[in-house]
Amino acid sequence: MPYAEVIGDPIAHSKSPLIHRFWLDAMGIAGEYRAERVSADGLKAYFESRREDDDWCGCNITIPHKETALDHVEDRGDVRGSIGAINCVLRAEDGALIGTNTDAAGFYAPISGLPLDGAHAAVIGAGGAARAVLFALSQVGIGRVTLFNRNALKAAGLLATFGIKGDAVPLDAPLPPVDLLVNASPLGMAGQPPLDLDLAPLPQDALVYDLVYAPLETPLLARARAREIDTIDGLEMLIGQAALAFELFFGVQPPRDRDDELRALLLR
Ligand code: NAP
């Protein structure tokens, strides 16, 4: 039976199996989607074993393998030279294992209608998720990014990597009046400190997008909604990147008209 997986360490928290199994069931596809804990030391052996397994369609990749997995698969789309991290590996028709990234497109899909060309965005965080966000924003001609990170030097390096104009600032710097605010850090996630940012400078027509999805209503989103500022929650990107991966694994688009049911399942 064809199957795909999500690999990481730890992996028990991953919501990917719920999402992909929901779509497999909904479409009546005889396939499976499993979670597999793979340690950093086991990554090479994992890909070697899957290369020999004709039922294996591919895998999603989560922390901590998004960068190192590139060493074990083909990088035909030069992801290393662009986003610098993969979240998906698929088996090509010629049997090759190809690394790709669906996080950037998954992030961008819900904001694709916004006039971001020349806009000013603030992004919190400078890790793997921020790389996908900055890559997407660089592709649509963002005018300026204020990048908040506790390690501002690392943030400055990321802006340079993506050729984005802007400033790298520490987490306690004041928020400028941006068009788009994106939290790409774990701040606000269950068990993590909240994101302590004064939203007062945000204009009323700004958009606040939080990549954190546990809890779904983060304190950041709650404060934005209290001011009647538009928001996007982390499940949008999670489902969006998964939908692109599902199509790569199983060759069909998942039924996105059932997103409400899927969101309810993920929140249960
Ligand atoms: P990551 O690579 O570990 O990067 C985390 C970033 O946040 C780093 O820049 C780090 O700062 C900063 N950070 C971490 N803990 C912090 C703390 N206590 N105080 C201040 N800054 C802190 O993680 P990631 O993969 O980018 O993920 C970031 C968040 O996005 C997670 O909550 C993840 O669940 C979420 N995410 C969501 C989706 C989705 O589909 N919705 C997809 C990917 C990620 P330093 O650079 O200084 O270390």
mmCIF file of all heavy atoms in Angstrom, residues 89-124:
data_model
loop_
_atom_site.group_PDB
_atom_site.id
_atom_site.type_symbol
_atom_site.label_atom_id
_atom_site.label_comp_id
_atom_site.label_asym_id
_atom_site.label_seq_id
_atom_site.Cartn_x
_atom_site.Cartn_y
_atom_site.Cartn_z
ATOM 1 N N VAL A 89 10.113 15.578 1.212
ATOM 2 C CA VAL A 89 10.917 14.798 0.258
ATOM 3 C C VAL A 89 9.959 13.902 -0.500
ATOM 4 O O VAL A 89 9.072 13.282 0.102
ATOM 5 C CB VAL A 89 11.977 13.930 0.982
ATOM 6 C CG1 VAL A 89 12.679 12.997 0.002
ATOM 7 C CG2 VAL A 89 13.007 14.824 1.676
ATOM 8 N N LEU A 90 10.102 13.851 -1.819
ATOM 9 C CA LEU A 90 9.222 12.976 -2.577
ATOM 10 C C LEU A 90 10.034 12.084 -3.484
ATOM 11 O O LEU A 90 11.178 12.389 -3.810
ATOM 12 C CB LEU A 90 8.220 13.797 -3.396
ATOM 13 C CG LEU A 90 8.845 14.709 -4.431
ATOM 14 C CD1 LEU A 90 8.161 14.561 -5.762
ATOM 15 C CD2 LEU A 90 8.736 16.133 -3.927
ATOM 16 N N ARG A 91 9.396 10.970 -3.859
ATOM 17 C CA ARG A 91 10.068 10.054 -4.775
ATOM 18 C C ARG A 91 9.676 10.446 -6.199
ATOM 19 O O ARG A 91 8.493 10.483 -6.538
ATOM 20 C CB ARG A 91 9.602 8.625 -4.486
ATOM 21 C CG ARG A 91 10.177 7.594 -5.431
ATOM 22 C CD ARG A 91 9.395 6.312 -5.291
ATOM 23 N NE ARG A 91 9.697 5.639 -4.042
ATOM 24 C CZ ARG A 91 10.804 4.924 -3.837
ATOM 25 N NH1 ARG A 91 11.690 4.804 -4.786
ATOM 26 N NH2 ARG A 91 11.007 4.325 -2.692
ATOM 27 N N ALA A 92 10.686 10.754 -7.022
ATOM 28 C CA ALA A 92 10.405 11.118 -8.420
ATOM 29 C C ALA A 92 10.150 9.842 -9.222
ATOM 30 O O ALA A 92 10.425 8.733 -8.748
ATOM 31 C CB ALA A 92 11.594 11.875 -8.997
ATOM 32 N N GLU A 93 9.629 10.009 -10.430
ATOM 33 C CA GLU A 93 9.311 8.831 -11.267
ATOM 34 C C GLU A 93 10.555 8.009 -11.578
ATOM 35 O O GLU A 93 10.475 6.797 -11.743
ATOM 36 C CB GLU A 93 8.629 9.284 -12.555
ATOM 37 C CG GLU A 93 7.144 9.560 -12.315
ATOM 38 C CD GLU A 93 6.400 9.955 -13.564
ATOM 39 O OE1 GLU A 93 6.996 9.911 -14.650
ATOM 40 O OE2 GLU A 93 5.219 10.306 -13.420
ATOM 41 N N ASP A 94 11.721 8.673 -11.615
ATOM 42 C CA ASP A 94 12.957 7.923 -11.902
ATOM 43 C C ASP A 94 13.563 7.309 -10.631
ATOM 44 O O ASP A 94 14.673 6.790 -10.660
ATOM 45 C CB ASP A 94 13.983 8.830 -12.602
ATOM 46 C CG ASP A 94 14.384 10.032 -11.736
ATOM 47 O OD1 ASP A 94 13.930 10.096 -10.573
ATOM 48 O OD2 ASP A 94 15.136 10.889 -12.217
ATOM 49 N N GLY A 95 12.814 7.383 -9.508
ATOM 50 C CA GLY A 95 13.265 6.757 -8.265
ATOM 51 C C GLY A 95 14.121 7.666 -7.392
ATOM 52 O O GLY A 95 14.453 7.307 -6.262
ATOM 53 N N ALA A 96 14.467 8.843 -7.884
ATOM 54 C CA ALA A 96 15.302 9.757 -7.087
ATOM 55 C C ALA A 96 14.482 10.358 -5.945
ATOM 56 O O ALA A 96 13.271 10.539 -6.064
ATOM 57 C CB ALA A 96 15.830 10.870 -7.988
ATOM 58 N N LEU A 97 15.154 10.658 -4.834
ATOM 59 C CA LEU A 97 14.499 11.334 -3.709
ATOM 60 C C LEU A 97 14.793 12.826 -3.839
ATOM 61 O O LEU A 97 15.961 13.238 -3.835
ATOM 62 C CB LEU A 97 15.022 10.806 -2.376
ATOM 63 C CG LEU A 97 14.942 9.290 -2.173
ATOM 64 C CD1 LEU A 97 15.275 8.932 -0.725
ATOM 65 C CD2 LEU A 97 13.569 8.747 -2.547
ATOM 66 N N ILE A 98 13.739 13.615 -3.958
ATOM 67 C CA ILE A 98 13.890 15.051 -4.226
ATOM 68 C C ILE A 98 13.404 15.844 -3.016
ATOM 69 O O ILE A 98 12.268 15.667 -2.564
ATOM 70 C CB ILE A 98 13.023 15.490 -5.432
ATOM 71 C CG1 ILE A 98 13.145 14.518 -6.597
ATOM 72 C CG2 ILE A 98 13.333 16.929 -5.818
ATOM 73 C CD1 ILE A 98 14.379 14.640 -7.397
ATOM 74 N N GLY A 99 14.248 16.745 -2.532
ATOM 75 C CA GLY A 99 13.855 17.610 -1.426
ATOM 76 C C GLY A 99 13.150 18.850 -1.948
ATOM 77 O O GLY A 99 13.516 19.382 -2.996
ATOM 78 N N THR A 100 12.122 19.292 -1.228
ATOM 79 C CA THR A 100 11.440 20.528 -1.617
ATOM 80 C C THR A 100 10.896 21.220 -0.363
ATOM 81 O O THR A 100 11.058 20.727 0.754
ATOM 82 C CB THR A 100 10.335 20.249 -2.671
ATOM 83 O OG1 THR A 100 9.826 21.501 -3.140
ATOM 84 C CG2 THR A 100 9.192 19.442 -2.098
ATOM 85 N N ASN A 101 10.300 22.379 -0.576
ATOM 86 C CA ASN A 101 9.781 23.137 0.574
ATOM 87 C C ASN A 101 8.379 23.627 0.244
ATOM 88 O O ASN A 101 8.203 24.365 -0.733
ATOM 89 C CB ASN A 101 10.712 24.325 0.888
ATOM 90 C CG ASN A 101 10.304 25.024 2.171
ATOM 91 O OD1 ASN A 101 9.155 25.419 2.333
ATOM 92 N ND2 ASN A 101 11.233 25.159 3.095
ATOM 93 N N THR A 102 7.390 23.204 1.032
ATOM 94 C CA THR A 102 6.015 23.682 0.823
ATOM 95 C C THR A 102 5.605 24.689 1.900
ATOM 96 O O THR A 102 4.495 25.194 1.882
ATOM 97 C CB THR A 102 4.998 22.512 0.789
ATOM 98 O OG1 THR A 102 4.963 21.874 2.072
ATOM 99 C CG2 THR A 102 5.347 21.488 -0.268
ATOM 100 N N ASP A 103 6.516 24.970 2.864
ATOM 101 C CA ASP A 103 6.187 25.930 3.933
ATOM 102 C C ASP A 103 5.985 27.345 3.376
ATOM 103 O O ASP A 103 5.076 28.060 3.805
ATOM 104 C CB ASP A 103 7.317 25.990 4.981
ATOM 105 C CG ASP A 103 7.176 24.915 6.050
ATOM 106 O OD1 ASP A 103 6.059 24.378 6.219
ATOM 107 O OD2 ASP A 103 8.183 24.627 6.729
ATOM 108 N N ALA A 104 6.872 27.753 2.444
ATOM 109 C CA ALA A 104 6.801 29.125 1.937
ATOM 110 C C ALA A 104 5.473 29.353 1.214
ATOM 111 O O ALA A 104 4.782 30.350 1.461
ATOM 112 C CB ALA A 104 7.987 29.404 1.013
ATOM 113 N N ALA A 105 5.093 28.408 0.339
ATOM 114 C CA ALA A 105 3.828 28.562 -0.394
ATOM 115 C C ALA A 105 2.638 28.405 0.549
ATOM 116 O O ALA A 105 1.616 29.080 0.386
ATOM 117 C CB ALA A 105 3.753 27.543 -1.531
ATOM 118 N N GLY A 106 2.776 27.525 1.554
ATOM 119 C CA GLY A 106 1.697 27.360 2.542
ATOM 120 C C GLY A 106 1.489 28.622 3.352
ATOM 121 O O GLY A 106 0.356 29.001 3.670
ATOM 122 N N PHE A 107 2.592 29.298 3.671
ATOM 123 C CA PHE A 107 2.492 30.579 4.386
ATOM 124 C C PHE A 107 1.832 31.627 3.498
ATOM 125 O O PHE A 107 0.962 32.383 3.927
ATOM 126 C CB PHE A 107 3.894 31.063 4.801
ATOM 127 C CG PHE A 107 3.945 32.540 5.071
ATOM 128 C CD1 PHE A 107 3.397 33.067 6.233
ATOM 129 C CD2 PHE A 107 4.513 33.413 4.148
ATOM 130 C CE1 PHE A 107 3.419 34.438 6.469
ATOM 131 C CE2 PHE A 107 4.538 34.781 4.377
ATOM 132 C CZ PHE A 107 3.983 35.291 5.547
ATOM 133 N N TYR A 108 2.238 31.658 2.234
ATOM 134 C CA TYR A 108 1.830 32.764 1.357
ATOM 135 C C TYR A 108 0.368 32.645 0.884
ATOM 136 O O TYR A 108 -0.305 33.667 0.687
ATOM 137 C CB TYR A 108 2.777 32.836 0.153
ATOM 138 C CG TYR A 108 2.426 33.943 -0.796
ATOM 139 C CD1 TYR A 108 2.486 35.281 -0.385
ATOM 140 C CD2 TYR A 108 1.985 33.668 -2.089
ATOM 141 C CE1 TYR A 108 2.131 36.306 -1.238
ATOM 142 C CE2 TYR A 108 1.627 34.696 -2.947
ATOM 143 C CZ TYR A 108 1.700 36.001 -2.519
ATOM 144 O OH TYR A 108 1.336 37.018 -3.364
ATOM 145 N N ALA A 109 -0.121 31.412 0.740
ATOM 146 C CA ALA A 109 -1.456 31.228 0.136
ATOM 147 C C ALA A 109 -2.545 32.119 0.755
ATOM 148 O O ALA A 109 -3.276 32.797 0.017
ATOM 149 C CB ALA A 109 -1.856 29.755 0.182
ATOM 150 N N PRO A 110 -2.671 32.211 2.106
ATOM 151 C CA PRO A 110 -3.776 33.018 2.640
ATOM 152 C C PRO A 110 -3.584 34.524 2.465
ATOM 153 O O PRO A 110 -4.532 35.273 2.679
ATOM 154 C CB PRO A 110 -3.785 32.668 4.144
ATOM 155 C CG PRO A 110 -2.791 31.610 4.360
ATOM 156 C CD PRO A 110 -1.923 31.497 3.151
ATOM 157 N N ILE A 111 -2.382 34.967 2.092
ATOM 158 C CA ILE A 111 -2.185 36.419 1.933
ATOM 159 C C ILE A 111 -1.906 36.785 0.472
ATOM 160 O O ILE A 111 -1.467 37.893 0.167
ATOM 161 C CB ILE A 111 -1.043 36.958 2.840
ATOM 162 C CG1 ILE A 111 0.280 36.221 2.582
ATOM 163 C CG2 ILE A 111 -1.422 36.867 4.306
ATOM 164 C CD1 ILE A 111 1.473 36.867 3.300
ATOM 165 N N SER A 112 -2.174 35.822 -0.431
ATOM 166 C CA SER A 112 -1.804 36.051 -1.840
ATOM 167 C C SER A 112 -2.592 37.206 -2.459
ATOM 168 O O SER A 112 -2.159 37.776 -3.450
ATOM 169 C CB SER A 112 -1.991 34.770 -2.655
ATOM 170 O OG SER A 112 -3.323 34.349 -2.537
ATOM 171 N N GLY A 113 -3.744 37.566 -1.866
ATOM 172 C CA GLY A 113 -4.540 38.661 -2.433
ATOM 173 C C GLY A 113 -4.110 40.035 -1.940
ATOM 174 O O GLY A 113 -4.641 41.047 -2.403
ATOM 175 N N LEU A 114 -3.143 40.079 -1.019
ATOM 176 C CA LEU A 114 -2.760 41.380 -0.442
ATOM 177 C C LEU A 114 -1.765 42.115 -1.336
ATOM 178 O O LEU A 114 -0.897 41.485 -1.941
ATOM 179 C CB LEU A 114 -2.079 41.178 0.924
ATOM 180 C CG LEU A 114 -2.919 40.688 2.083
ATOM 181 C CD1 LEU A 114 -2.065 40.676 3.341
ATOM 182 C CD2 LEU A 114 -4.135 41.580 2.274
ATOM 183 N N PRO A 115 -1.853 43.445 -1.381
ATOM 184 C CA PRO A 115 -0.877 44.216 -2.165
ATOM 185 C C PRO A 115 0.416 44.383 -1.361
ATOM 186 O O PRO A 115 0.626 45.391 -0.697
ATOM 187 C CB PRO A 115 -1.591 45.565 -2.364
ATOM 188 C CG PRO A 115 -2.537 45.681 -1.217
ATOM 189 C CD PRO A 115 -2.872 44.303 -0.746
ATOM 190 N N LEU A 116 1.279 43.369 -1.409
ATOM 191 C CA LEU A 116 2.485 43.390 -0.560
ATOM 192 C C LEU A 116 3.680 44.047 -1.246
ATOM 193 O O LEU A 116 4.687 44.338 -0.598
ATOM 194 C CB LEU A 116 2.861 41.969 -0.139
ATOM 195 C CG LEU A 116 1.889 41.338 0.868
ATOM 196 C CD1 LEU A 116 2.247 39.879 1.108
ATOM 197 C CD2 LEU A 116 1.902 42.110 2.189
ATOM 198 N N ASP A 117 3.559 44.264 -2.557
ATOM 199 C CA ASP A 117 4.649 44.894 -3.300
ATOM 200 C C ASP A 117 4.917 46.285 -2.701
ATOM 201 O O ASP A 117 4.038 47.141 -2.698
ATOM 202 C CB ASP A 117 4.229 45.010 -4.778
ATOM 203 C CG ASP A 117 5.409 45.371 -5.658
ATOM 204 O OD1 ASP A 117 6.536 45.457 -5.130
ATOM 205 O OD2 ASP A 117 5.199 45.585 -6.854
ATOM 206 N N GLY A 118 6.115 46.477 -2.134
ATOM 207 C CA GLY A 118 6.466 47.765 -1.542
ATOM 208 C C GLY A 118 5.961 47.959 -0.120
ATOM 209 O O GLY A 118 6.199 48.999 0.489
ATOM 210 N N ALA A 119 5.266 46.954 0.427
ATOM 211 C CA ALA A 119 4.698 47.088 1.781
ATOM 212 C C ALA A 119 5.784 46.930 2.846
ATOM 213 O O ALA A 119 6.904 46.486 2.568
ATOM 214 C CB ALA A 119 3.597 46.055 1.983
ATOM 215 N N HIS A 120 5.441 47.292 4.081
ATOM 216 C CA HIS A 120 6.348 47.146 5.225
ATOM 217 C C HIS A 120 5.804 46.034 6.123
ATOM 218 O O HIS A 120 4.641 46.083 6.536
ATOM 219 C CB HIS A 120 6.416 48.483 5.989
ATOM 220 C CG HIS A 120 7.419 48.491 7.107
ATOM 221 N ND1 HIS A 120 7.654 49.583 7.898
ATOM 222 C CD2 HIS A 120 8.276 47.524 7.573
ATOM 223 C CE1 HIS A 120 8.593 49.318 8.792
ATOM 224 N NE2 HIS A 120 8.977 48.060 8.621
ATOM 225 N N ALA A 121 6.629 45.030 6.401
ATOM 226 C CA ALA A 121 6.217 43.930 7.281
ATOM 227 C C ALA A 121 7.139 43.871 8.493
ATOM 228 O O ALA A 121 8.308 44.270 8.416
ATOM 229 C CB ALA A 121 6.279 42.606 6.530
ATOM 230 N N ALA A 122 6.596 43.381 9.597
ATOM 231 C CA ALA A 122 7.425 43.030 10.748
ATOM 232 C C ALA A 122 7.328 41.518 10.918
ATOM 233 O O ALA A 122 6.235 40.940 10.818
ATOM 234 C CB ALA A 122 6.920 43.732 12.010
ATOM 235 N N VAL A 123 8.468 40.877 11.133
ATOM 236 C CA VAL A 123 8.499 39.422 11.325
ATOM 237 C C VAL A 123 9.224 39.157 12.635
ATOM 238 O O VAL A 123 10.259 39.775 12.921
ATOM 239 C CB VAL A 123 9.229 38.720 10.150
ATOM 240 C CG1 VAL A 123 9.314 37.217 10.388
ATOM 241 C CG2 VAL A 123 8.521 39.007 8.820
ATOM 242 N N ILE A 124 8.664 38.256 13.456
ATOM 243 C CA ILE A 124 9.305 37.883 14.720
ATOM 244 C C ILE A 124 9.933 36.507 14.544
ATOM 245 O O ILE A 124 9.230 35.551 14.159
ATOM 246 C CB ILE A 124 8.274 37.771 15.892
ATOM 247 C CG1 ILE A 124 7.180 38.835 15.803
ATOM 248 C CG2 ILE A 124 8.981 37.751 17.238
ATOM 249 C CD1 ILE A 124 7.602 40.235 15.982
#
